[in-house]
Amino acid sequence: MDIQFSYQKKRAEFGRQCLFSDKGPDLIDNYPSNRQLGKQYILKDPFDRHQQCAPIFAEHDINTTRAEYTTASMNHIEGGWPKDINLADEEQPKRYRRKIEKEENYFHTMMALFKNVENCILQNNSVNIYQQYFSDVEPTPLIERSSARTLNVYQDQYTPTRPVTHISWSPDGQTKLAVSYANLLFQAEVPNELKHSFIWDVENPNRPLMVLKPDHSAVCMEYHQKDPNTLVSGHKNGVVSLWDIRKGLEPVDSTIVEMSFRDPVYSVLWMNSKSGCEFFSGSTDGTVKWWDTRNLSEPTDTLILDYAREEDQDLAKAYGCSCLEYEPTIPTRFSVGTEQGVTISCNRKGKSAVEKMSARFQAHLGPVWTMQRNPGFVKNFLTIGDWTAKVWSEDCKESAIIWTNYHMARLTDGAWSPTRFSVFFTTRSDGVLDVWDLLQQQDEAVLSVKICDEELKTLRPHDSGRMVAVGNQKGTTYLVQFSENISMNNKNDKALLTAMFERENRREKILEARFRELRLKQKKSEMRMDASEAQLAEDPSEFVDKYVTQAEAEFKMIIDRETKPPEEEEEEEEEEEDEFEDEPEPPPPPPPPPESEEKKEKKDKKGKKGKKKK
């Protein structure tokens, strides 16, 4: 029985409420020392006393009941059955159970055992059921809610602040960030604008580790994939520069203006080569150029993004390069995203321009801001542009296999997760960072994080998959950390994603074949119309003889029919009647059945009444 007692107390007895205020100390009263009072005290020699050494008044000894154990053995391989019972025979164990259940002590023994079993069950309820007991069985993954938090904020050190245009992680454990800043507004005049870029230490957001001082603002900057001291950057004036931070804060070498681009360099990437000194860059002037760091006086190769033959290529008709994509596992292949919304799949081994630009994909309505291949599925790549993100396959060139809904805000950048192949990140112009997981849901993002109120410009994920660096319009870089379930790849994720991509590929191929048939039918009908028009243009007399004469004959027949005199019409009607007379007459209808006398009398009466009324 539970005994409860409630303690009650008035509010006035609680004491006065504490009201704190920011006020300095005040001297309320002062009591000066009085030496005359010291004569009233008796001085004693100092002594020590320990409270723990007080005498013990009581002592109690308590011990639990001693448990005595005996050793016994039993072979439970066959279930502990008696020797005279054969387990191969199903009837013998059943008879033995019925025999035991009929005994008098069975009921009392079971009732006594129930209490012990119930106690054990209640104890098991407090045990962690997810605890791993067996080493050969994989633990069940715990369901974790997706979450994100901001670790550090790296702000532009100068005013006025500049937008963040590119972020690159260092290859030495990714402990440093190279961030480039540039104002790309057309003919924007910003007074006192500096052109410096920063290298940040991830653990120190207060002050940059290094300040790089280029001659012009850096639009993109990329670390070497193996050397943490070497960087390459593309600038606003079209020049490409090489950096070695061991030799100073200025570029070691730069390209000549005459051999450089005419527009800002929007993307620069290192290539997987034997020397490790090759990289290529692209600009909106319509060219892609390959460089060697050992000699930057001229490019080693140049590609004009015009779908024409080698001798007919025109730089004025070329597509403007807005982003580049390169996968190190395929050293001869690369992709280009253009300002016209077209992505071009290129092969450097091609001899002519048409062979180099092997395939085109009409991806977006506006510029393609990002293009990246999936790290686990190289044939599938992600594109970001206008208000949507799309996942493409090289086997389907007509349309994307997966795409997101159109957002209210523009998408500015995106990237795949390097650890979980079904996850990709996107940034929006309203300051929101979205996390998409294709295996969970495709209609909306798994997680949406409001990073800031300004427009997000670029992002770059960490190799661990848990951290993402995001830059905004005001020159601030945020380091965001996600929960483990976003970065952790489960056992069946790759198989499920493979099945999803294959299913979407088949669906798009079927739709492409159907659209191809419809276009072919439409083309044939247009060809027929063009042939008739061409025939009319070449020999109009045949067209007149065929169609115009036929129309004239029909018109004459109608006029003759309307203008005939009435005598001829009567003759034609008589001829028609004669034709009808020649036809055999139909048999007469059968006679009506005879009426009864009562019905005849009723009809006579009705006829007489009608006459009287008249």
Side-chain angles (χ1 to χ4, degrees):
M1 180 178 178
D2 297 335
I3 300 175
Q4 297 181 357
F5 182 78
S6 59
Y7 292 89
Q8 298 181 357
K9 194 175 183 179
K10 295 182 180 180
R11 177 65 182 85
E13 297 177 0
F14 288 167
R16 188 176 180 182
Q17 182 182 2
C18 294
L19 300 175
F20 298 98
S21 61
D22 189 5
K23 186 179 180 183
D26 296 333
L27 182 61
I28 300 174
D29 201 350
N30 185 18
Y31 294 94
S33 59
N34 188 358
R35 297 189 179 185
Q36 298 295 331
L37 298 177
K39 298 179 180 180
Q40 300 178 5
Y41 288 90
I42 301 173
L43 299 177
K44 294 183 179 180
D45 294 333
F47 64 97
D48 297 332
R49 180 169 180 172
H50 299 280
Q51 297 294 334
Q52 287 79 4
C53 296
I56 298 173
F57 297 99
E59 183 177 359
H60 299 279
D61 294 331
I62 300 174
N63 194 6
T64 58
T65 305
R66 185 179 299 276
E68 297 180 357
Y69 299 95
T70 59
T71 303
S73 62
M74 177 182 282
N75 187 6
H76 285 278
I77 295 176
E78 297 179 355
W81 296 91
K83 294 180 180 180
D84 55 345
I85 295 177
N86 185 13
L87 295 177
D89 188 3
E90 295 181 0
E91 292 296 329
Q92 291 187 14
K94 289 181 181 179
R95 285 197 222 104
Y96 183 76
R97 288 196 200 97
R98 287 196 293 267
K99 178 183 176 182
I100 296 297
E101 290 175 358
K102 290 180 181 179
E103 293 181 359
E104 296 179 358
N105 297 331
Y106 176 78
F107 180 76
H108 301 286
T109 304
M110 294 301 294
M111 291 299 294
L113 292 174
F114 285 160
K115 295 180 180 180
N116 297 332
V117 173
E118 185 179 1
N119 186 21
C120 295
I121 292 173
L122 294 176
Q123 288 181 357
N124 289 334
N125 289 339
S126 63
V127 176
N128 183 14
I129 62 175
Y130 299 105
Q131 185 177 355
Q132 184 67 18
Y133 290 99
F134 306 100
S135 60
D136 56 342
V137 180
E138 292 188 0
T140 304
L142 298 177
I143 300 175
E144 183 182 3
R145 291 186 62 185
S146 301
S147 60
R149 64 189 185 97
T150 303
L151 294 180
N152 289 327
V153 179
Y154 312 93
Q155 295 181 349
D156 190 2
Q157 301 295 302
Y158 302 114
T159 53
T161 58
R162 304 154 295 165
V164 178
T165 55
H166 195 78
I167 300 172
S168 179
W169 291 91
S170 63
D172 55 343
Q174 297 195 334
T175 58
K176 290 178 288 186
L177 277 172
V179 184
S180 60
Y181 304 84
N183 190 356
L184 297 176
L185 292 177
F186 181 67
Q187 293 183 349
E189 295 182 1
V190 181
N192 301 325
E193 183 183 9
L194 296 177
K195 305 175 180 61
H196 298 169
S197 298
F198 303 131
I199 295 179
W200 295 88
D201 188 355
V202 175
E203 301 296 334
N204 184 15
N206 299 322
R207 182 176 297 177
L209 184 65
M210 291 184 179
V211 180
L212 304 181
K213 301 176 180 179
D215 296 333
H216 295 272
S217 299
V219 180
C220 56
M221 183 174 293
E222 196 69 32
Y223 265 106
H224 193 278
Q225 63 268 28
K226 295 181 181 179
D227 188 3
N229 299 314
T230 305
L231 297 95
V232 66
S233 61
H235 299 272
K236 195 174 179 179
N237 64 337
V239 174
V240 180
S241 301
L242 177 68
W243 302 79
D244 190 347
I245 57 178
R246 295 170 296 185
K247 297 182 180 180
L249 303 178
E250 296 181 354
V252 178
D253 195 3
S254 298
T255 58
I256 304 173
V257 177
E258 290 78 5
M259 295 295 177
S260 302
F261 299 96
R262 297 186 300 176
D263 287 349
V265 184
Y266 276 85
S267 184
V268 58
L269 293 175
W270 290 94
M271 296 185 63
N272 189 10
S273 60
K274 294 181 180 179
S275 61
C277 301
E278 296 182 9
F279 67 93
F280 69 113
S281 56
S283 174
T284 52
D285 64 351
T287 58
V288 177
K289 296 184 179 182
W290 282 262
W291 308 88
D292 194 329
T293 57
R294 295 169 291 189
N295 183 16
L296 292 179
S297 59
E298 60 179 358
T300 58
D301 193 6
T302 302
L303 174 64
I304 299 176
L305 300 176
D306 183 17
Y307 253 82
R309 295 183 179 179
E310 194 75 29
E311 60 273 6
D312 298 334
Q313 281 192 323
D314 187 5
L315 189 60
K317 299 179 181 179
Y319 292 109
C321 174
S322 58
C323 64
L324 293 174
E325 186 278 327
Y326 178 75
E327 177 62 34
T329 57
I330 314 176
T332 60
R333 299 280 299 277
F334 66 96
S335 300
V336 182
T338 64
E339 285 186 319
Q340 290 75 14
V342 179
T343 60
I344 305 173
S345 179
C346 305
N347 188 359
R348 196 182 177 190
K349 284 188 175 181
K351 296 181 181 179
S352 63
V354 178
E355 293 179 358
K356 288 182 178 180
M357 295 179 284
S358 57
R360 286 187 298 177
F361 302 86
Q362 185 62 42
H364 297 279
L365 302 175
V368 181
W369 298 118
T370 301
M371 185 176 181
Q372 185 183 9
R373 292 184 182 271
N374 191 299
F377 302 87
V378 183
K379 283 189 175 182
N380 301 99
F381 56 91
L382 172 72
T383 59
I384 302 293
D386 49 62
W387 297 271
T388 182
K390 297 182 179 180
V391 179
W392 298 78
S393 175
E394 290 184 349
D395 300 332
C396 302
K397 299 179 182 179
E398 298 290 335
S399 62
I401 59 174
I402 300 172
W403 57 87
T404 64
N405 295 328
Y406 280 85
H407 297 77
M408 297 299 293
R410 290 183 299 103
L411 298 186
T412 55
D413 201 359
W416 288 101
S417 172
T419 55
R420 187 175 172 87
F421 302 144
S422 62
V423 173
F424 64 91
F425 310 96
T426 59
T427 55
R428 302 198 319 224
S429 59
D430 56 355
V432 176
L433 173 64
D434 291 332
V435 183
W436 296 81
D437 193 343
L438 299 178
L439 293 179
Q440 292 190 21
Q441 55 189 15
Q442 293 85 31
D443 55 346
E444 61 180 356
V446 177
L447 180 64
S448 296
V449 185
K450 181 72 173 178
I451 302 297
C452 59
D453 295 331
E454 289 80 18
E455 178 183 356
L456 298 180
K457 300 293 290 184
T458 182
L459 69 87
R460 197 68 177 269
H462 193 271
D463 283 347
S464 64
R466 291 198 63 186
M467 291 188 295
V468 174
V470 186
N472 69 353
Q473 180 73 20
K474 295 295 183 179
T476 305
T477 305
Y478 301 88
L479 186 62
V480 184
Q481 184 181 22
F482 296 98
S483 55
E484 290 186 2
N485 61 334
I486 293 177
S487 61
M488 184 175 60
N489 212 7
N490 296 329
K491 180 181 179 181
N492 300 325
D493 283 358
K494 192 167 185 179
L496 293 174
L497 194 60
T498 303
M500 177 184 288
F501 285 155
E502 290 178 355
R503 182 183 70 246
E504 297 299 329
N505 280 340
R506 288 195 299 269
R507 183 177 66 85
E508 289 300 327
K509 286 180 180 178
I510 293 171
L511 293 176
E512 285 181 8
R514 178 58 180 163
F515 290 149
R516 203 175 293 115
E517 291 177 3
L518 295 176
R519 285 196 298 268
L520 186 60
K521 290 181 180 179
Q522 186 179 2
K523 189 176 181 180
K524 287 182 178 179
S525 62
E526 290 176 356
M527 289 175 64
R528 291 173 184 171
M529 295 293 294
D530 294 341
S532 62
E533 291 177 0
Q535 184 180 2
L536 176 62
E538 291 177 0
D539 192 2
S541 61
E542 294 183 2
F543 184 80
V544 170
D545 294 339
K546 186 177 180 180
Y547 297 103
V548 177
T549 55
Q550 183 178 357
E552 289 178 353
E554 292 177 356
F555 181 73
K556 287 180 180 180
M557 289 176 62
I558 295 170
I559 296 298
D560 294 339
R561 191 181 300 167
E562 296 292 333
T563 57
K564 278 183 181 180
E567 296 177 356
E568 294 181 359
E569 290 182 359
E570 291 178 358
E571 290 178 358
E572 289 181 357
E573 289 179 358
E574 290 177 357
E575 290 177 359
E576 291 178 357
E577 289 177 358
D578 294 339
E579 291 177 358
F580 285 117
E581 288 177 359
D582 295 338
E583 295 179 358
E585 294 182 358
E595 296 181 354
S596 61
E597 296 179 356
E598 295 179 357
K599 290 183 178 180
K600 289 181 180 179
E601 292 178 356
K602 288 180 179 180
K603 285 184 178 180
D604 295 339
K605 290 179 181 179
K606 288 181 179 179
K608 291 178 181 180
K609 290 179 180 179
K611 289 179 180 179
K612 289 179 180 180
K613 288 179 180 179
K614 291 180 180 179

